Amino acid sequence: MDIVTHGMMGVAIAGPWLASHPAASAGFILGSVIPDLDAFSRCGGKYAFLTWHQGWTHSLLGILLAGIVFWVLLKTTSPELAGLPIGLAAGATLHVLLDLTNTYGVRLFSPFTQKRFCLEWVFFIDCVVIVMTTGTVAIVASYLAEDSARLKSLSVGYVIALASYFAVKGLLRLRASRLCGRDVVAIIPSALWPWSFYVCQRQDSQVTSSQLNVLTGTSHVITTTTIFDTEFRRHLEPLPEFQAMAALSPAYHVVKFARDGEKTLLCCRDMRIINFGTSFGRLDVTLSPDCEVLSAELHV
């Protein structure tokens, strides 16, 4: 999920409890966005952002340890605020679990492993989640200062509805994997339609993107792209930008090349999300006649 949606989720869930449990509720709302503060790694450049985003701040062990240490300190010095670290840890844990259902993956068990985990249930922007969350926040914000049993019931209902939706999306993703044929690299959920998935398949030097309707079981090919990894990938692998994107996506390929005099112009793309019309992750590289990298521009 994006940070705005995460923040609204925190308000929808914990907002109704602010009057009766201010410390824990405020902690939960803050915790729901704190893991994405790693976005400030952009200050160190695009490569730093790709390397650090959804990294150690999204580690369940890190969240647990920080919560325990913070709780012990406050329990000793300011007992009335002891609920704050509990809320922070709970909000941050929910944030991480929601990101786990997305498509780029989180380093769930950092620092023990840098492997990214993702379930591909929900795209990081999901219309159903946004509509559901925005509507709940609009009601909660109107009565934020009140200790209302009705608002608390709304909070519980929202959590149940949200959990039910994600469970359904998980089942739809499972059905999508069963419907797909061989050579599947990724199955990416649509941001708009819950039953629609974009399937990325590779056969030799061909990558095919198709759209699958899991309700009807029908699919249609959107595009078939020739990749040029065999010719050029070995020249790009030393590039930090290429390494970062290849670590994020199992379908990161050289999709275009052209000659400009003695130079070679290459374009690399994440083929999993090519149907979303985004330039995220595109890498434009210029090679010398000896195949040395002269320039590289990463779009993030």
Side-chain angles (χ1 to χ4, degrees), residues 7-20:
M8 290 196 301
M9 286 178 166
V11 173
I13 295 172
W17 307 84
L18 272 170
S20 55

Side-chain angles (χ1 to χ4, degrees), residues 81-159:
L81 296 178
L84 181 63
I86 296 174
L88 283 168
T93 299
L94 176 63
H95 179 119
V96 171
L97 294 179
L98 289 170
D99 281 354
L100 176 64
T101 67
N102 294 167
T103 56
Y104 269 111
V106 295
R107 293 193 176 105
L108 207 59
F109 302 113
S110 179
F112 296 107
T113 174
Q114 297 305 306
K115 181 180 179 181
R116 291 181 180 268
F117 296 86
C118 67
L119 297 175
E120 294 182 340
W121 290 1
V122 181
F123 198 60
F124 83 99
I125 296 175
D126 185 273
C127 285
V128 174
V129 172
I130 290 174
V131 170
M132 187 190 310
T133 304
T134 302
T136 304
V137 168
I139 298 172
V140 170
S142 301
Y143 306 95
L144 201 57
E146 298 182 14
D147 186 7
S148 169
R150 187 174 298 178
L151 278 186
K152 292 178 180 177
S153 298
L154 176 65
S155 170
V156 173
Y158 170 76
V159 171

